[in-house]
Amino acid sequence: MSLTLILMSSMLLTGCGEEEVEKQSFTNLPPFSPLINLQPDSADTTTDLRVVLVDPLPTDPDGDPVTFTYVWFNGDEQVSATEATTDIESTISAADTTKGETWSVYVFATDGELESAPAIQEVVIQNASPEILSFTSAPEEPKTTDDLIINEEEISTADADGDEVAFSFSWSKDGEVQEDYTDPILPSSATSKGEEWIGTVTPNDGTENGDPETATFFILNTSPMVDSVELTPENPDESTGIQATVTASDHDEDELTMTYAWYVDNVLVDAATEATLSGQYYGKGDVIRLDVTVNDGEIDSEIVSSVELTIVNSPPTVGSVAIVNQDPAIGSAYADSVVVCTAVDPVDLDEDVLSYTYSWTNAAGDILGTDVYLDLATQSIVKGEDVFCELTPMDDEQSGDSATGETTLVNKNPQIDSIVFNPTVPDADDLLVADVSYTDPDGTEASGEVTLTYMWSVNGDEVVGEASNNLS
């Protein structure tokens, strides 16, 4: 098919002043320009550049077959050209682009002889966002004693532009951002049991932030701790219970329950479950230990053991001291008695055999003797005075506390030793005199002269009115 194109030229014909019309004929016309779409609208160094022909595809007025030419420019520099292809798209690899470059594409339709006017589009290569490839956090099961850590040195990143990547950190508790914390380490003092913390790390290449990555921490219960176990006294015996003083703590401030396990010679005392161990459970020479645990309502602490205590000898005791006459039939103590110092209700918890020491004294504190017996007849002591005995119990290891008893010497009746009549063979007219000899165990110094009372009888009949030592 051929078309005739008439070109009108104006020219001045010499001598005639007429216009001359020149006719020219064209046999081929160029195809129509294509419609194109350059993708993506906002490109960076991670995305390929792709230009695509948009329907309807261009045709040729002459009906000639149409092919396409793609010419790519980076700025003013031509990078590639693809001619006479029937492909409806062309691509530049992202690897060939750099941030800040301006890329343009020219697309021509051609019928083999003539090209259409180009379709032109361009795009500026934008910054590529940095990317976090991986990072680590710790611990996996945090407690309130643990710092929460995003390991900054172990953050792996990628930046298609090769920019240096920095990081920012934020923390949220139970979904609420905590603005006071912007470091990769969250201190343990900020956390409490049962909270959910999310640590966020955001990369930045100096131009823009990349997508953030997060680590989630659920704060678990912290085990309680027994801080100390102290037993008193340091040298217990059977007479003294052993008291435990225990201190414990819990970072979660939970209410704590203590469990006591008492051991005697490494054997558990099942009945002893309190902070005090009674002397009924041990004896001299036994070794005592206490194991303590605390529980916060969820878990037990580790067991903490006390120092071991060895039960020492229990000193003997006496309830009181009694001073009695050596002759039980007499009972009372007189100035001429032999008295005995006796322990009343002696006790030795270790069941040791006891012995005693004695110290006899008078009211002035003078030592009268150190034996269990004291012969008062040998002492300068009289009725009405007090006698004391200090008794000290002893086992095979030590003495117990002393106890003192006392008694007051009582009066002892005087005794008639003999009565002698003078004359020994009286007549009816003789004055009969009774000479009486007697003894007083208490001595005349204490009691004065003994007063004698006389009663006479003749042939069994009392002589009334005669009360002296003679009878006429």
Side-chain angles (χ1 to χ4, degrees):
M1 173 180 181
S2 63
L3 295 177
T4 301
L5 178 60
I6 306 295
L7 297 179
M8 304 299 293
S9 300
S10 295
M11 57 185 303
L12 181 61
L13 299 178
T14 302
C16 66
E18 299 179 354
E19 283 187 347
E20 181 177 332
V21 177
E22 181 180 354
K23 296 182 179 179
Q24 293 186 4
S25 177
F26 291 87
T27 60
N28 184 41
L29 289 175
F32 296 106
S33 295
L35 300 175
I36 63 173
N37 182 16
L38 179 57
Q39 302 171 353
D41 293 334
S42 179
D44 58 38
T45 51
T46 65
T47 55
D48 294 338
L49 300 180
R50 178 171 173 259
V51 63
V52 179
L53 300 183
V54 179
D55 290 332
L57 296 178
T59 59
D60 185 80
D62 304 318
D64 296 330
V66 177
T67 59
F68 307 102
T69 298
Y70 301 90
V71 182
W72 289 91
F73 289 87
N74 180 359
D76 295 332
E77 180 182 355
Q78 180 178 319
V79 175
S80 69
T82 303
E83 299 180 359
T85 180
T86 57
D87 294 339
I88 62 172
E89 64 179 67
S90 178
T91 301
I92 291 294
S93 171
D96 295 327
T97 65
T98 301
K99 179 176 70 172
E101 294 175 342
T102 300
W103 282 77
S104 57
V105 62
Y106 287 67
V107 182
F108 302 87
T110 180
D111 60 6
E113 295 182 14
L114 298 177
E115 292 180 338
S116 69
I120 306 171
Q121 287 189 3
E122 68 177 30
V123 66
V124 177
I125 305 302
Q126 303 298 317
N127 179 71
S129 300
E131 178 184 4
I132 295 177
L133 302 178
S134 65
F135 73 99
T136 61
S137 61
E140 293 184 1
E141 296 182 344
K143 302 177 179 64
T144 49
T145 55
D146 299 320
D147 294 340
L148 306 185
I149 301 172
I150 294 176
N151 295 308
E152 187 172 10
E153 291 86 9
E154 297 182 12
I155 301 176
S156 175
T157 61
D159 187 272
D161 304 321
D163 295 329
E164 183 176 350
V165 179
F167 309 101
S168 61
F169 302 89
S170 64
W171 295 89
S172 63
K173 179 182 71 175
D174 296 333
E176 184 176 346
V177 174
Q178 305 296 301
E179 296 181 355
D180 291 338
Y181 302 105
T182 57
D183 293 327
I185 298 178
L186 181 73
S188 61
S189 59
T191 66
S192 296
K193 181 178 70 173
E195 295 174 344
E196 182 183 63
W197 283 83
I198 297 177
T200 300
V201 54
T202 302
N204 185 282
D205 62 2
T207 300
E208 62 180 317
N209 290 334
D211 292 334
E213 296 292 339
T214 61
T216 300
F217 304 87
F218 187 78
I219 308 303
L220 303 178
N221 181 62
T222 302
S223 300
M225 295 185 297
V226 176
D227 300 316
S228 65
V229 178
E230 181 181 354
L231 301 183
T232 53
E234 293 183 0
N235 297 299
D237 57 46
E238 284 188 69
S239 67
T240 59
I242 300 175
Q243 178 67 46
T245 302
V246 179
T247 59
S249 59
D250 185 82
H251 286 281
D252 303 320
E253 298 183 353
D254 294 327
E255 184 175 349
L256 300 179
T257 302
M258 294 187 183
T259 299
Y260 304 91
W262 291 94
Y263 291 84
V264 177
D265 289 340
N266 290 322
V267 177
L268 177 65
V269 182
D270 292 324
T273 58
E274 302 298 329
T276 300
L277 183 66
S278 170
Q280 65 180 309
Y281 297 112
Y282 52 79
K284 181 171 68 173
D286 289 340
V287 176
I288 308 300
R289 186 185 83 246
L290 174 63
D291 289 351
V292 180
T293 58
V294 290
N295 184 283
D296 62 3
E298 296 185 41
I299 54 177
D300 289 334
S301 68
E302 293 183 356
I303 296 173
V304 174
S305 299
S306 70
V307 297
E308 293 185 339
L309 300 182
T310 299
I311 304 303
V312 299
N313 180 68
S314 298
T317 62
V318 293
S320 61
V321 175
I323 299 175
V324 297
N325 198 301
Q326 183 183 21
D327 184 352
I330 298 177
S332 298
Y334 304 108
D336 63 347
S337 298
V338 175
V339 289
V340 182
C341 188
T342 304
V344 179
D345 297 327
V347 174
D348 186 276
L349 295 176
D350 305 318
E351 299 182 354
D352 296 329
V353 176
L354 299 184
S355 61
Y356 305 95
T357 61
Y358 308 90
S359 177
W360 294 90
T361 58
N362 58 19
D366 301 324
I367 301 297
L368 305 179
T370 57
D371 196 0
V372 63
Y373 300 101
L374 179 65
D375 186 355
L376 296 175
T378 64
Q379 305 295 326
S380 298
I381 191 166
V382 296
K383 72 175 182 179
E385 292 185 351
D386 293 327
V387 176
F388 303 88
C389 179
E390 182 183 69
L391 180 148
T392 303
M394 300 177 60
D395 59 19
D396 57 352
E397 291 189 38
Q398 66 185 124
S399 299
D401 292 334
S402 298
T404 300
E406 67 176 288
T407 188
T408 301
L409 303 187
V410 298
N411 181 69
K412 188 175 183 181
N413 293 333
Q415 296 178 347
I416 301 296
D417 298 324
S418 65
I419 300 175
V420 177
F421 293 110
N422 288 309
T424 57
V425 181
D427 293 328
D429 296 330
D430 291 338
L431 179 67
L432 186 62
V433 178
D435 290 326
V436 179
S437 64
Y438 62 90
T439 58
D440 185 356
D442 301 317
T444 57
E445 183 178 343
S447 58
E449 292 294 335
V450 174
T451 299
L452 300 178
T453 300
Y454 299 88
M455 185 182 68
W456 293 89
S457 63
V458 176
N459 296 323
D461 295 325
E462 180 181 354
V463 180
V464 179
E466 295 295 337
S468 65
N469 69 333
N470 59 77
L471 179 66
S472 58

